[in-house]
Amino acid sequence: TLIADRFTPNTLASDRAGGLFMPPMIDHVAPGDMPKARQWLSGSLKHFDKLYNSEGGGKVGLNFVSGYYVKPTGEEAEVGPTWWKDLVTGYRNLDEDEMKWLSYFKEKETIHCGTYIINGREYLPWLMNKFIKSGGITVKKKIHSLSELHSFDIIVNCTGLGARELVNDSKLYPTRGQLVSVKAPWIKQWIDEIGHIPRRVYIFPRPNDVILGATNEKDNEDLDTDPVEIQRIINRCQTVMPSLANAEIQESWAGVRPMRKGGVRLEKEEPPPGVIRHPIIIHCYGHGSYGISLSWGCAEEVVGIIRQCIYKSKL
């Protein structure tokens, strides 16, 4: 049973995401948990590879594209991309000649690789359809306390930003991102400028449009777009790729990323002392900008925890 107050196409983040499959930054992972992040990323990649290479691969919103990853600087660059370079295709650093047409980024180091771009507006409906066809049940309802779910034996809390109130997690905070969709079929490679800068550049080509972004507006969860900010996004992207001046603007929107200080929370909650019957509760939220990238890997770990709990209960 899937219970939520919002389903696709009305989610706050996934339906509205740029959808580039890339590794999380250092602050999306708890200290010492980098091997875990690699495991999640690797698990997701295997699933996306399988989907992309299946007979129905053209119906799930996956697109494999090469492009340019502009590395963060300062403290954000501590982890570096070397720990995940084998999880993308054709990883290599750009030389000085190649950087000439990316002069907008000046002294920032840039790499070239191939990876997936996932269109949430196609991918989420496909997932939902698969869930329902497998016998899943959906309930549109806002849960205010996990105690409302006492009739269930297993509860997986994937409420994202909603976990602030649901489980009183003060580490969660919203970050708004504004995006623009344009028609520019001549754009074939993506560009992603990583870092916690209020205004960054990313250009993500998809089969039917190109996504331009973006903003990082901390503690802002307003879903209304700001026309001034939207124009700034367009201007920045045109500076990097001047041909975008000829692109037809299709729409713009805002989404809210469920950021969490200290990174993702994925763990089993221990029952209160002395309580005999207590549902198995597993928390899985706080994925920030990398929910799609970490999704399948995190889901695999959640399933592993559930299986372990069921096995122990039979001993």
Side-chain angles (χ1 to χ4, degrees), residues 272-290:
V275 175
I276 298 176
R277 189 189 183 285
H278 190 270
I280 296 169
I281 300 175
I282 301 169
H283 300 285
C284 182
Y285 61 80
H287 298 80
S289 307
Y290 299 92

Side-chain angles (χ1 to χ4, degrees), residues 25-37 40 260-265:
M25 290 174 57
I26 187 171
D27 60 346
H28 282 65
V29 183
D33 253 8
M34 199 52 64
K36 183 74 71 176
W40 295 335
R260 185 173 185 271
K261 298 173 184 175
V264 176
R265 182 188 182 191

